[in-house]
Amino acid sequence: MLNSKIDFYNYSKIMPAANEDWLNWKWQIKNSLKSLSDFEKYFQLTQDEKQGFSISNNNFKIQTSPYYASLVNKNDPIDPIRTTFMPSVKEGQLGLQQQLDPLAENKNSPTSRVIHRYPDRVLFLVTDICSLYCRYCTRKHFTGKDQAYLKPNEYELALNYINDNKAIREVILSGGDPLTLSNERLEKIFNDLHSIPHIEIIRVGSRIPATLPMRVDHGLIQILKKFKPIYLMTHFNHPNEITALAAEKIELLVDNGVPVMNQMVLLNGVNNHPAIVHALSKRLIYLRAKPYYMFQCDPSPGSDHLRTPVQQSIDIQKKLWGRMSGLAMPNLSLDIPSGGGKAGFTPDFLKKVKGNEYHFKGWDNVEEVYISPALTQAIEPSLEKKYRKEWENINPKA
């Protein structure tokens, strides 16, 4: 039972359903809201939202589970949860920057469904289906295109590529959402990857714990335990997403040895305030889920109205720095468009460098000098052959 030290969000069902149906993830997906008429049954739509359906349906799928829709205050047209899944007329407006593939994943795809941008890890897109289609999705070039599970030849080519590249140590399952797959399919994927000698870690990127927590059942837990180490990378953006049910499922995961780390996206009008990031991070870390990344929203088509100014994002981070435990502090990061990789931001406390004197001003305005040893004093440690080889695998020019 959850401790009452943290208030978790309470929600009400928005459609009639027996309790056993409501807690059945397959029922949730089958009864997802997809069309204008579906949404009009439960929401008083604004004119902008109604127009958004005709604009968005031609560009990117619309869908949300009844559970996730129930998190919305239906009387609030600017409810933060509503903003993440409800289409808007703004999706049809030309933004400052629009890239269908902002991370240049197609350019870095050596074979279908595999993205290899970093030497020691690959993304494996095992499905293009999600339980909910976020309006800010960075992978609109792939997600929601009814490609579903991989074709047998795609799967074989992907596994062969991973097997043949010995520098790959980590596979990140993504999509779409891998947890929309059945336990049987997931077990096969984990087993096949686990059988490759040089694969050490598997990550699963999933929004399911936030949007469809009933999917995290005991069958899934047993599979995740069987093929450890598997890290679950969740995607909670707002404290209102952490309901008692979602919190229960996070604790079920960590109690069974599955590390949980969260990747949030800063979204305009949703969570772009230090109080909201603080509340989200506090609840996550209390549940033993590590706030990992705080991403700047990527410039995918139709998402300009959801992107926060970079300076505001940096300011949010700076206001949290020192006022929140380092355990709870997510890393602010931006993916450089066109496949440039991640660029991290940290508050700049270094004010000047004079010789070997580094002058700092801390988060609480304490000013002091750190006197550094000279670079000529650096001594190279003895390097065992096995460590050098591991390093050279990912950095051949070392």
Side-chain angles (χ1 to χ4, degrees), residues 96-147:
L96 293 169
Q97 185 180 22
Q98 297 188 82
Q99 295 183 353
L100 185 59
D101 182 13
L103 307 186
E105 291 181 334
N106 287 325
K107 184 177 74 175
N108 292 290
S109 181
T111 187
S112 180
R113 303 295 191 104
V114 173
I115 298 163
H116 194 179
R117 286 196 308 164
Y118 298 98
D120 66 336
R121 54 205 182 276
V122 295
L123 271 171
F124 188 8
L125 306 181
V126 293
T127 181
D128 77 320
I129 292 174
C130 289
S131 67
L132 173 143
Y133 293 100
C134 305
R135 306 324 299 165
Y136 54 90
C137 179
T138 191
R139 200 168 285 144
K140 290 178 180 177
H141 66 93
F142 173 79
T143 303
K145 304 293 184 185
D146 296 322
Q147 300 166 88

Side-chain angles (χ1 to χ4, degrees), residues 322-348:
R323 295 173 176 85
M324 188 166 70
S325 164
L327 281 173
M329 189 74 199
N331 301 311
L332 177 60
S333 186
L334 176 153
D335 270 293
I336 302 169
S338 301
K342 291 180 177 62
F345 295 92
T346 54
D348 187 6

